Amino acid sequence: MNFKLIFNIALHLLRARLKQTIVAAVGVTFGIAMFISLVSFMNGLNDLLDGLMLNRTPHIRLYNEIKPSENQPIMLSEKHKNDVNFISSIKPKDRGKSIYNSKAIIHYLKQDKRIVDVAPKITSPVFFNSGTIEISGVINGIDVPAEEKLFALSDYIIEGKIADLEQNNSIIIGKGLADKMLLVKGDIVKITTAKGNLASLKIVGISQIGIAEVDDVSSYTSLETTQKLLGEATNYITDIQIKLHDITSAPTLSKEFHNKFDLDAIDYQTANSQFETGSSVRSIISYAVGIVLLIVAGFGIYNILNMMIFEKMDSIAILKATGFSGNDVKWIFISLSMIIGLTGGVFGLVFGFGFTKIIDNIPFNTAALPTISTYPINYNPLFYIIGIVFALVTTFIAGLLPALKASKIDPVEIIRGK
């Protein structure tokens, strides 16, 4: 088999039907370009949303869930274990949100090489008071340097600086909360805790996560300020936030720390399961649409090659009569389809990259995401590899059936028919 001769014949046949060849190649080009653009955009969007989720969510959170004691009075009495007991008006006893021995636990976790770092936190419901307005919300007491290192909280501060929280009696409140109470940076807000403690804190900044339910109720202060506000000791902590080097190990390590420290533990995948599902669905849709576009282009190539065989019956008969085998004829038509697929695929990659660059420069301004200025794009080379491979596979299959048909043509019957 002379591959060079077969390739030259394939090129000659393509030039003979140049318009149809261009249409087929354009179909592949369009399919690849749309596949690259769609997948790059959808994955860029997923990366943006995943980043927002991971930036504000610890990989593992250790805490004490509010629930009654597991050991109720009836369970403590072995003597009456098998008796029938009638109990009424039992009041559940909350074991409290405080994590006991928190400093020792944090010290232990910081020595673990699987962990990037640990950030302690206090979360407590409060009431914000401004004039006659009273709004229920949440105060987050944070270790400012640790919180900034792990969650880049300053990215969501639209007024003021995160470092200002280290001043005594200072607070950063959510934008929704500030709008509702007509508060600005520099104002004083009064806060009442669930126990009735009252404090006046100076607003040193405004934050905006981009989720209304959070921005309408959230606020941040330092650990020390929160402990004083709640009237708790300096070792009072309600949450231990953990970031890992390998986030895929979060579910396993969550169970490990739960058993080791006798604390409730939740990993980021469990805490954001609905969010993860949405990202998966978007990826599936983008790949499905792109693949459908390529399959449609493959059908176009199949039809064009079929028509080419019908119109080139005499040429095929002459080739076979001059010594070309059925296998040679088959590879001539497979070469036709592969040339179309490769040419269309390469141009598709170029145009796909160009479309994504255009999308990447389109202004995207929203108050909910002040740090984002253009539409998100993921330039993963894997998308381009998938695109060109699928284009070649699709065009090979599209050309294989007509090629097999051409290889079985009997030249004697064609010549007699003429």
Side-chain angles (χ1 to χ4, degrees):
M1 183 187 299
N2 190 330
F3 286 104
K4 184 177 180 180
L5 179 59
I6 286 174
F7 182 76
N8 287 333
I9 293 172
L11 286 177
H12 174 75
L13 291 175
L14 285 174
R15 285 195 295 267
R17 290 182 59 85
L18 187 60
K19 289 183 179 180
Q20 291 84 346
T21 300
I22 292 174
V23 170
V26 168
V28 177
T29 299
F30 178 79
I32 293 292
M34 291 301 100
F35 173 80
I36 296 295
S37 304
L38 184 62
V39 173
S40 298
F41 174 68
M42 293 302 291
N43 280 273
L45 179 62
N46 284 344
D47 292 342
L48 169 63
L49 297 176
D50 288 345
L52 291 174
M53 183 262 293
L54 289 175
N55 276 351
R56 68 173 190 274
T57 306
H59 296 161
I60 298 175
R61 174 183 168 227
L62 302 179
Y63 64 106
N64 276 322
E65 187 176 355
I66 298 177
K67 58 186 177 182
S69 172
E70 295 179 1
N71 297 315
Q72 296 296 324
I74 188 63
M75 302 175 185
L76 301 176
S77 177
E78 291 292 330
K79 181 178 178 180
H80 303 288
K81 183 176 181 180
N82 297 319
D83 295 343
V84 177
N85 297 274
F86 296 92
I87 300 176
S88 61
S89 301
I90 291 295
K91 300 295 187 286
K93 183 179 180 182
D94 180 18
R95 60 176 176 170
K97 295 175 65 177
S98 176
I99 296 178
Y100 299 103
N101 205 21
S102 59
K103 290 185 178 181
I105 294 174
I106 291 172
H107 178 75
Y108 175 86
L109 292 172
K110 286 190 174 185
Q111 308 307 311
D112 194 322
K113 294 183 179 179
R114 298 170 296 182
I115 295 174
V116 176
D117 208 346
V118 179
K121 186 178 179 181
I122 301 172
T123 305
S124 177
V126 295
F127 289 99
F128 296 96
N129 308 282
S130 180
T132 59
I133 298 177
E134 185 177 82
I135 297 177
S136 60
V138 176
I139 194 166
N140 298 285
I142 59 173
D143 181 326
V144 177
E147 196 80 10
E148 175 63 15
K149 177 182 177 182
L150 295 190
F151 304 108
L153 189 58
S154 59
D155 289 347
Y156 305 103
I157 306 299
I158 58 176
E159 291 184 41
K161 297 179 181 178
I162 188 68
D164 293 339
L165 280 184
E166 296 185 289
Q167 302 172 12
N168 288 330
N169 299 322
S170 60
I171 187 172
I172 291 176
I173 64 173
K175 188 176 187 303
L177 193 60
D179 292 342
K180 286 182 179 181
M181 306 184 74
L182 300 177
L183 296 171
V184 296
K185 179 185 172 185
D187 287 348
I188 302 296
V189 61
K190 293 183 178 180
I191 296 177
T192 306
T193 68
K195 294 182 179 179
N197 298 338
L198 181 65
S200 297
L201 302 181
K202 181 181 180 181
I203 299 173
V204 295
I206 307 293
S207 67
Q208 186 176 29
I209 298 295
I211 300 175
E213 289 81 359
V214 176
D215 294 329
D216 285 351
V217 299
S218 68
S219 66
Y220 300 91
T221 63
S222 65
L223 282 176
E224 295 76 11
T225 299
T226 309
Q227 287 162 350
K228 287 191 294 183
L229 175 64
L230 299 177
E232 299 288 352
T234 55
N235 63 346
Y236 179 79
I237 298 293
T238 63
D239 299 80
I240 296 177
Q241 305 171 104
I242 302 170
K243 279 226 167 180
L244 307 172
H245 289 287
D246 179 14
I247 63 174
T248 59
S249 64
T252 303
L253 292 180
S254 176
K255 295 177 182 177
E256 177 185 326
F257 296 150
H258 165 69
N259 295 327
K260 186 173 187 64
F261 302 120
D262 190 28
L263 292 170
D264 293 298
I266 186 169
D267 62 271
Y268 80 98
Q269 291 180 348
T270 303
N272 299 279
S273 56
Q274 292 180 335
F275 191 90
E276 293 271 314
T277 301
S279 295
S280 300
V281 169
R282 283 190 295 271
S283 295
I284 292 171
I285 291 173
S286 62
Y287 278 103
V289 172
I291 289 171
V292 167
L293 289 171
L294 293 177
I295 291 175
V296 170
F299 276 111
I301 295 172
Y302 171 79
N303 289 331
I304 288 172
L305 291 181
N306 247 344
M307 290 297 296
M308 188 179 292
I309 290 170
F310 180 77
E311 293 181 2
K312 295 294 181 182
M313 287 288 192
D314 53 346
S315 299
I316 295 171
I318 293 170
L319 287 172
K320 283 197 166 186
T322 54
F324 282 82
S325 66
N327 192 48
D328 293 335
V329 173
K330 179 185 74 175
W331 280 107
I332 287 172
F333 282 88
I334 289 178
S335 298
L336 282 172
S337 65
M338 295 303 291
I339 291 171
I340 293 172
L342 182 61
T343 304
V346 170
F347 277 101
L349 297 183
V350 173
F351 280 103
F353 180 77
F355 291 155
T356 55
K357 291 297 289 185
I358 292 172
I359 296 171
D360 198 11
N361 286 281
I362 296 175
F364 176 62
N365 299 314
T366 172
L369 299 171
T371 59
I372 307 300
S373 58
T374 60
Y375 283 94
I377 293 293
N378 185 327
Y379 291 98
N380 192 336
L382 179 62
F383 305 150
Y384 296 81
I385 294 172
I386 293 173
I388 191 66
V389 169
F390 197 81
L392 293 176
V393 170
T394 303
T395 51
F396 175 81
I397 295 173
L400 180 61
L401 297 177
L404 291 173
K405 179 180 177 181
S407 68
K408 295 176 182 178
I409 290 175
D410 187 348
V412 176
E413 291 182 5
I414 294 173
I415 294 172
R416 282 177 178 173
K418 293 195 68 163

